[in-house]
Amino acid sequence: MKKGILLCGHGSRTKTGTDSFKELVALLQARYTDYEVDYGFLEFNHPVYEASVERMYQKGIREIYALPVILFAGSHAKNDIPYEMNTIQSYYKDLTIKMGKHLGVNSFLLELAQKRVLEEESKHAPIDRKDVCLMVVGRGTTDTDANSDVHKLACMLGEGMGFGFTTVAYSGTAYPNVTKSLELTSKMEFKRTIAIPFFFFTGILLERIYKQIRDFSETSLHEYIYTQAFGSDELILKAFDERLDEAINGTANMNCQLCKYRKQIVGLESEIGKEQIGHHLGVKGLLFEEDEKVGQKNSVFTKIKKGLGI
């Protein structure tokens, strides 16, 4: 019997973000022809996960591998998506959902990060990397285990490529944010700072990061540049190959040794044993495709945003 793959996206408030996600879906559908490949979103967009699973179920699929399109193991990967999958599976007596691991720290992601840095460097005058600061920008989360993965990849990338200094910044939640990190590193007076956002696709957060870097550059005597997002590069597809293989063979293990829900972690003591429940229910499936016109003042999404105070 044919099995299914559910690509678990987060959801975006911009059409460019959802379009980029769908490009990745199309590539993986062409790659995994022996499977029924579908997709869903955690928040904002349709289809929600339930709809995608039901769509596959109606096609006769009875075993699904759920692959999170998530870079690091924050609350989405550890809490929200597992909660959704457990809830959905409870609706069916003859359906099995096996969840894969987030992409996380892996050789393909590291190689792709190097590729993006080299692409951006080629557009500018050569500078000895000892005179360049590398800034890795992560999404940021309240889960210090997830943030530590950003630091690990930053360390491997910065040391591996021979940069004079490597630092980490976050687009939100965690410290330091992009502007603060730029202020701190500017005191070291590197000739150039190159920022690499660890993001799959473009969207509101990524555009905000780029603007913060451009604005800071205007007031500095030094050079500030940034790379493009990871996108749907072949190296990303290879990372999904690895995660799918792990899910099939039952080796898709999270980092439970440092999970704040299982162990007492410094600064997160109140999280241990916390009930698993999704926290995106208020904006789940909020944005339909026909409402994805950014800036349309009277769109359904705009009205609901105002009502929720988003």
Side-chain angles (χ1 to χ4, degrees), residues 25-36:
V25 171
L27 289 171
L28 291 175
Q29 286 173 330
R31 196 178 189 89
Y32 303 140
T33 54
D34 292 337
Y35 296 85
E36 180 71 29

Side-chain angles (χ1 to χ4, degrees), residues 5-45:
I5 295 174
L6 175 64
L7 299 172
C8 301
H10 177 270
S12 174
R13 295 170 181 161
T14 67
K15 189 174 187 301
T16 52
T18 53
D19 286 348
S20 296
F21 175 81
K22 290 174 185 177
E23 287 176 13
L24 174 63
V25 171
L27 289 171
L28 291 175
Q29 286 173 330
R31 196 178 189 89
Y32 303 140
T33 54
D34 292 337
Y35 296 85
E36 180 71 29
V37 181
D38 210 330
Y39 68 93
F41 296 103
L42 179 63
E43 62 176 342
F44 297 124
N45 306 112

Side-chain angles (χ1 to χ4, degrees), residues 68 70 72-83 86 99 102 141 143-149 254-262 265 268 276-277:
I70 300 288
F72 301 109
S75 59
H76 295 324
K78 289 181 179 176
N79 187 72
D80 298 310
I81 298 178
Y83 169 79
N86 285 329
M99 187 169 167
H102 62 285
T141 173
D143 192 319
T144 52
D145 176 37
N147 293 338
S148 72
D149 281 347
M254 299 289 285
N255 184 14
C256 294
Q257 294 84 0
L258 293 174
C259 177
K260 65 179 181 177
Y261 301 117
R262 295 173 180 265
I265 303 298
L268 300 171
Q276 187 180 71
I277 185 169

Side-chain angles (χ1 to χ4, degrees), residues 87-107:
T87 302
I88 294 168
Q89 184 168 260
S90 71
Y91 300 154
Y92 304 87
K93 293 182 179 180
D94 56 345
L95 175 67
T96 300
I97 301 177
K98 297 180 179 179
M99 187 169 167
K101 186 181 177 182
H102 62 285
L103 290 193
V105 178
N106 67 78
S107 61

Side-chain angles (χ1 to χ4, degrees), residues 188-203:
M188 291 184 281
E189 297 189 345
F190 282 96
K191 294 179 180 178
R192 172 185 292 164
T193 294
I194 180 168
I196 174 167
F198 273 33
F199 282 70
F200 274 117
F201 313 116
T202 188

